Amino acid sequence: MATVSPSWNYTLHLPRDPRAPGIARGALRLILAAHDLPDLTPTAELLAAELLANAHCHTKGPYAFRLLSPSPGRVRVAVWDTDPRVPPGFTTDKAPAPPDAENGRGLHLVRACADATGVSVLRELGASKGGKLLWAECGTGQTAW
């Protein structure tokens, strides 16, 4: 008997600690293995690593990691932080930093490797505490929505 896999999502609230991005990537690997999506792990982990590093290095407040399945065979990696400013490398076609630069290429890499990307600026305070949510999606060869 065939079954339909329901959508799922996980959220991990992270402390301001340099080990937090690595812990979130470990959780991502476990979650994808548990949902029988090991083929997505390398791309999803790269997307998560860049988004988490950006939040950790360029914001001052707390941040959170979210992993969800919008449809079978697809995952969306999202990182929320309290800074409402959207990084230019995430939304523009401006060329990435030169090869010898120490930073400035990560979000361009996210946009190049993801099937789809997006951002939501959360201006309302409340449960979201404002800030922004950057996300990137990848899947098993299916077209992104």
Side-chain angles (χ1 to χ4, degrees):
M1 177 174 167
T3 61
V4 175
S5 177
S7 63
W8 45 265
N9 70 73
Y10 298 86
T11 301
L12 181 60
H13 297 275
L14 300 163
R16 187 114 206 108
D17 184 298
R19 296 168 287 205
I23 291 168
R25 289 191 314 273
L28 175 144
R29 288 188 298 270
L30 290 170
I31 293 165
L32 291 180
H35 287 280
D36 199 27
L37 292 168
D39 292 348
L40 297 182
T41 301
T43 302
E45 191 172 5
L46 179 142
L47 300 173
E50 294 301 335
L51 294 177
L52 287 160
N54 192 66
H56 185 78
C57 294
H58 300 292
T59 65
K60 302 288 184 214
Y63 54 101
F65 172 70
R66 186 169 187 203
L67 184 66
L68 61 104
S69 174
S71 61
R74 300 200 64 72
V75 294
R76 182 174 291 176
V77 174
V79 175
W80 166 84
D81 65 59
T82 58
D83 188 342
R85 295 174 296 164
V86 177
F90 198 74
T91 59
T92 66
D93 290 326
K94 180 181 167 189
D100 59 346
E102 291 188 24
N103 55 38
R105 291 181 298 278
L107 295 178
H108 291 281
L109 186 60
V110 167
R111 291 177 57 216
C113 293
D115 295 334
T117 60
V119 60
S120 295
V121 177
L122 310 168
R123 302 201 188 280
E124 297 285 326
L125 293 179
S128 71
K129 299 180 183 135
K132 69 178 169 297
L133 179 78
L134 298 178
W135 61 266
E137 195 171 297
C138 63
T140 56
Q142 299 170 349
T143 305
W145 298 97

